[in-house]
């Protein structure tokens, strides 16, 4: 967090005052996601989205790039403050090529097969351990 903006942090989560606006504008000048603004300002994500959407509809913001979320999809918009510029075009969300889609699918299949084999091996190891612990018991 910028030490100059630390004094503007609100005392409770829902109050939107001039300090919070200063934090949001400071973040948006450099480019920020909704989560970045939430972390800096202390507001809830719904409140930040409401203000971001209002500024976006007023053409004060544009999307400069798409970042990946935790699932590996590019659907986290990075907004930047640009008031009615001539090149107010948003970045397109990149889509996967068919080769990339197939590679991700095969990687998931390999992961599922490896997990299934690991489960089988663990079960066999448990069964073998049980047999070696009680070799005289043949009722298994």
């Amino acid at each position: 967090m910028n030490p100059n903006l630390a004094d503007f942090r609100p005392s409770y989560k829902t109050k939107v005052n001039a300090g919070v606006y200063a934090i949001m504008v400071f973040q948006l000048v450099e480019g920020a996601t909704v989560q970045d603004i939430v972390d800096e300002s202390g507001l809830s994500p719904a409140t930040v989205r409401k203000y971001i959407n209002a500024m976006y509809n007023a053409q004060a913001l544009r999307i400069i790039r798409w970042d990946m979320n935790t699932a590996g999809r590019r659907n986290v918009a990075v907004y930047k403050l640009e008031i009615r510029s001539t090149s107010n075009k948003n970045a397109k969300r990149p889509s996967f090529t068919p080769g990339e889609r197939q590679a991700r699918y095969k990687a998931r299949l390999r992961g599922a097969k490896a997990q299934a084999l690991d489960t089988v091996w663990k079960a066999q190891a448990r069964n073998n351990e049980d047999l070696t612990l009680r070799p005289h018991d043949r009722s298994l």
Side-chain angles (χ1 to χ4, degrees):
M1 178 170 173
N2 188 347
N4 299 332
L5 297 177
D7 298 333
F8 295 115
R9 189 176 289 243
S11 59
Y12 53 93
K13 198 172 189 180
T14 58
K15 185 173 181 179
V16 179
N17 57 19
V20 173
Y21 285 123
I23 290 171
M24 286 184 9
V25 169
F26 181 79
Q27 291 287 321
L28 290 170
V29 165
E30 297 175 351
T33 63
V34 171
Q35 189 61 44
D36 294 338
I37 297 171
V38 166
D39 294 341
E40 288 290 323
S41 66
L43 294 171
S44 71
T47 303
V48 172
R49 262 188 241 102
K50 181 174 76 172
Y51 286 103
I52 291 290
N53 288 338
M55 288 191 280
Y56 183 79
N57 291 337
Q59 297 179 351
L61 298 178
R62 73 178 185 97
I63 299 171
I64 57 172
R65 72 175 183 271
W66 293 90
D67 287 346
M68 284 191 185
N69 65 359
T70 55
R73 295 182 185 97
R74 289 194 180 272
N75 61 359
V76 178
V78 179
Y79 297 97
K80 186 169 180 160
L81 186 66
E82 288 189 9
I83 300 180
R84 299 181 198 265
S85 68
T86 56
S87 65
N88 201 7
K89 295 195 178 200
N90 293 320
K92 290 193 174 199
R93 186 181 301 180
S95 61
F96 293 111
T97 64
E100 290 172 335
R101 269 190 232 115
Q102 186 177 21
R104 288 168 53 100
Y105 174 71
K106 287 184 176 182
R108 281 196 310 268
L109 285 181
R110 280 193 304 271
K113 287 180 184 177
Q115 185 178 8
L117 283 175
D118 190 41
T119 305
V120 168
W121 290 336
K122 284 181 181 177
Q124 287 177 348
R126 277 195 305 268
N127 290 340
N128 290 339
E129 286 173 7
D130 290 342
L131 292 175
T132 57
L133 291 177
R134 293 176 279 145
H136 62 283
D137 187 12
R138 300 290 181 196
S139 62
L140 296 175

